[in-house]
């Protein structure tokens, strides 16, 4: 075969595995092809309280290095076979590109494994996993890692937001991109008639579900415990601790207890620290590869990537992102909302999550069955990758098959992805 014909055959092969050829319909999602993008391992660190929790003195790069080491150890993958790593993160200066490459080397990946950082705000971890999945689907690589990390303890604050130029300030819609999410979510709750009572009831359920899951050991399989340093805020004494559990989950939370919390963004407001996502630290990673590669290597296949979507909405309506993104992803997969078994929707604010669930007509018991970011925490860049491990473990425990992960995205976007448990 001539070189030109070889190249033509290669291009045709890549096109044959494009999104246009994704199987349609629920049953078709269970079919298996050598070109499928599959997951063989997904894990995360515990999520801890920003500024107070177990990882308050741990750098994001160290959280990431530990997560990579745990992924290599648990999956038994030869790190030299991993061709590319994508890391979603929101707050690090320079996007974290330098320290994330260094973290991969520390973890045991060779210099031949490429690393990139990316930032699509709260969907960064999911975007990293989707970027790797699409690189595999296109034929660019066969094996890669999608991941996310955030140390909100060390990097969250005013310095994470750039001052707008006169040009940006002069554009009515553009300047709305810098309106604080709490402020715009408060206004959205009022405009869309999401009562404080409904928000507090939703938030209390998140805490209660997460507490039950933690007590039942439901998170153990997805967590990679980490030994790290901890500085006592009262004595300045540094000790070494083992962080094994999410420390933001609180017992005894009820709608009545949340009703006593003062509003955070307006005197007559409905949003407060108890019905919004927690400021947190954590990291997560997902090992993806072609099914043919997984079978050749004897890697256990735990899930399959089907389709994803990313959409834009008005900046001031950031919270409706999942409502717009989920139907787009489902259409690409050829299924309806009712054919999905479990939804992991990021609980940025109870207000926007309640509205999206209602507008999409989702059964409440199918959404965040083990609680969400209100109870677990929301390390910005980590969440999208964390949701995948939580989803696949829940699907496995419950004997269900199809799941969706989704979140709203700051500045007015939404993202969603469809996954199948194997």
């Amino acid at each position: 075969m001539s070189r030109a014909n070889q190249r033509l055959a290669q291009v045709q092969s890549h096109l044959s595995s494009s999104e246009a050829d994704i199987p349609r319909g629920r049953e078709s999602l269970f079919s298996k092809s050598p070109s499928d993008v599959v997951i063989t391992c997904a894990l995360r660190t515990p999520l801890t309280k920003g500024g107070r929790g177990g990882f308050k003195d741990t750098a994001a790069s160290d959280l990431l290095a530990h997560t990579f080491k745990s992924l290599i150890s648990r999956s038994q993958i030869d790190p030299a076979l991993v061709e590319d790593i994508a890391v979603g993160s929101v707050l690090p200066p320079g996007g974290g590109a330098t320290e994330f490459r260094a973290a991969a080397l520390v973890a045991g990946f060779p210099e031949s494994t490429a690393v990139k950082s990316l930032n699509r705000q709260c969907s960064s971890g999911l975007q990293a996993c989707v970027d790797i999945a699409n690189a595999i689907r296109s034929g660019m690589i066969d094996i890669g890692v999608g991941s996310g990390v955030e140390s909100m303890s060390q990097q969250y604050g005013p310095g994470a937001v750039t001052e707008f130029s006169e040009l940006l300030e002069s554009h009515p819609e553009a300047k709305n991109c810098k309106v604080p999410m709490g402020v715009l979510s408060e206004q959205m709750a009022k405009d869309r008639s999401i009562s404080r009572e409904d928000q507090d009831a939703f938030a209390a359920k998140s805490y209660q579900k997460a507490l039950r899951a933690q007590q039942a050991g439901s998170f153990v399989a997805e967590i990679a415990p980490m030994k790290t340093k901890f500085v006592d805020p009262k004595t300045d004494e540094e000790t070494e601790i083992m962080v094994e559990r999410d420390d933001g989950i609180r017992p005894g939370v009820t709608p009545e207890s949340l009703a006593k919390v003062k509003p955070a963004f307006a005197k007559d407001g409905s949003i407060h620290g108890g019905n919004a996502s927690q400021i947190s630290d954590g990291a997560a990673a997902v090992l993806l590869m072609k099914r043919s590669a997984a079978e050749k290597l004897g890697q256990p296949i735990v899930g399959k990537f089907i389709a994803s979507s990313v959409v834009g909405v008005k900046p001031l309506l950031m919270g409706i992102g999942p409502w717009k993104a989920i139907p787009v992803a489902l259409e690409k997969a050829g299924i309806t909302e009712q054919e999905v078994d479990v939804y992991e929707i990021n609980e940025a604010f109870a207000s926007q999550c309640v509205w999206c669930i209602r507008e999409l007509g989702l059964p409440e018991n199918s959404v965040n069955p083990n609680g969400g970011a209100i109870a677990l925490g929301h390390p910005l860049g980590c969440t999208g990758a964390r949701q995948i491990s939580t989803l696949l473990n829940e699907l496995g425990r419950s004997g269900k098959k199809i799941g969706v992960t989704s979140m709203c995205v700051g500045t007015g976007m939404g993202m969603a992805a469809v996954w199948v448990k194997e």
Side-chain angles (χ1 to χ4, degrees):
M1 183 184 291
S2 68
R3 182 173 297 178
N5 286 337
Q6 285 179 335
R7 178 58 183 154
L8 180 60
Q10 185 182 38
V11 170
Q12 288 173 334
S13 173
H14 293 172
L15 290 174
S16 70
S17 61
S18 70
E19 199 166 75
D21 294 301
I22 296 171
R24 295 294 191 267
R26 181 180 170 93
E27 292 305 314
S28 67
L29 299 188
F30 306 142
S31 65
K32 297 178 181 179
S33 165
S35 62
D36 287 341
V37 179
V38 299
I39 298 161
T40 64
C41 189
L43 52 75
R44 65 179 179 91
T45 68
L47 307 185
T48 67
K49 299 175 187 176
R52 296 179 293 152
F55 291 142
K56 73 178 182 67
D57 303 305
T58 305
S61 56
D62 294 4
L63 290 170
L64 190 64
H66 171 76
T67 307
F68 287 161
K69 285 180 182 178
S70 300
L71 193 75
I72 293 169
S73 174
R74 191 173 294 186
S75 69
Q76 293 295 295
I77 189 72
D78 177 355
L81 298 176
V82 175
E83 296 159 275
D84 197 11
I85 297 172
V87 185
S89 200
V90 178
L91 302 174
T98 302
E99 58 263 40
F100 297 163
R101 163 70 164 163
L105 294 171
V106 165
F109 289 106
E111 62 272 15
S112 58
T113 301
V115 180
K116 73 171 180 180
S117 65
L118 62 91
N119 179 0
R120 199 194 288 276
Q121 304 219 45
C122 299
S123 67
S124 298
L126 176 57
Q127 186 67 64
C129 294
V130 168
D131 278 7
I132 292 296
N134 286 336
I136 294 169
R137 182 169 278 167
S138 72
M140 182 178 176
I141 62 173
D142 286 337
I143 302 174
V145 172
S147 59
V149 66
E150 211 73 66
S151 172
M152 297 186 77
S153 289
Q154 298 189 7
Q155 295 174 318
Y156 184 63
V161 181
T162 305
E163 288 296 320
F164 272 22
S165 67
E166 289 184 12
L167 175 63
L168 301 187
E169 290 282 4
S170 70
H171 189 285
E173 203 66 87
K175 71 178 183 181
N176 286 337
C177 288
K178 72 171 189 177
V179 175
M181 283 185 279
V183 173
L184 62 86
S185 295
E186 186 68 73
Q187 188 60 49
M188 178 186 157
K190 290 178 181 176
D191 293 344
R192 310 228 164 183
S193 302
I194 306 299
S195 69
R196 169 152 181 175
E197 289 75 19
D198 287 347
Q199 294 175 56
D200 287 349
F202 179 86
K205 283 183 182 178
S206 182
Y207 275 107
Q208 292 161 8
K209 289 185 289 186
L211 183 64
R212 283 197 299 270
Q214 188 176 64
Q215 290 174 338
S218 299
F219 298 128
V220 172
E222 67 193 65
I223 287 179
M226 181 177 178
K227 188 177 290 186
T228 190
K229 68 178 181 180
F230 183 85
V231 179
D232 188 303
K234 294 181 180 178
T235 65
D236 284 334
E237 180 185 2
E238 182 178 314
T239 58
E240 191 172 69
I241 63 171
M242 177 64 77
V243 183
E244 300 179 281
R245 292 156 54 94
D246 304 315
D247 67 17
I249 300 172
R250 297 200 300 265
V253 178
T254 65
E256 292 74 24
S257 68
L258 292 176
K260 300 174 183 177
V261 183
K262 292 182 179 180
F265 302 103
K267 287 184 179 180
D268 62 343
S270 59
I271 296 176
H272 54 81
N275 64 21
S277 57
Q278 297 183 38
I279 293 170
S280 310
D281 306 322
V286 181
L287 179 60
L288 301 106
M289 62 187 73
K290 278 187 179 177
R291 184 183 298 278
S292 57
E295 292 175 346
K296 180 180 178 181
L297 296 170
Q299 283 278 309
I301 297 172
V302 298
K304 178 170 69 169
F305 169 73
I306 301 297
S308 62
S309 66
V310 63
V311 301
V313 298
K314 285 185 174 296
L316 293 181
L317 295 177
M318 170 274 305
I320 72 172
W323 164 78
K324 188 172 181 182
I326 288 173
V328 176
L330 295 181
E331 183 179 4
K332 291 176 184 293
I335 57 175
T336 66
E337 286 88 350
Q338 289 68 40
E339 291 177 293
V340 176
D341 298 311
V342 177
Y343 289 88
E344 284 287 333
I345 301 178
N346 189 42
E347 298 169 353
F349 299 91
S351 57
Q352 54 85 211
C353 217
V354 167
W355 186 88
C356 289
I357 292 167
R358 288 178 180 174
E359 290 298 309
L360 290 169
L362 307 181
E364 283 193 24
N365 61 2
S366 72
V367 179
N368 301 348
N370 299 299
I374 289 172
L376 297 171
H378 175 29
L380 304 175
C382 165
T383 291
R386 190 278 300 170
Q387 286 179 317
I388 298 168
S389 60
T390 302
L391 174 69
L392 292 177
N393 277 290
E394 172 59 25
L395 290 172
R397 276 191 304 272
S398 60
K400 296 174 180 177
K401 285 291 186 179
I402 298 177
V404 165
T405 59
S406 184
M407 67 285 294
C408 59
V409 182
T411 70
M413 290 178 279
M415 191 167 184
V418 181
W419 312 86
V420 168
K421 172 65 180 174
E422 292 198 8

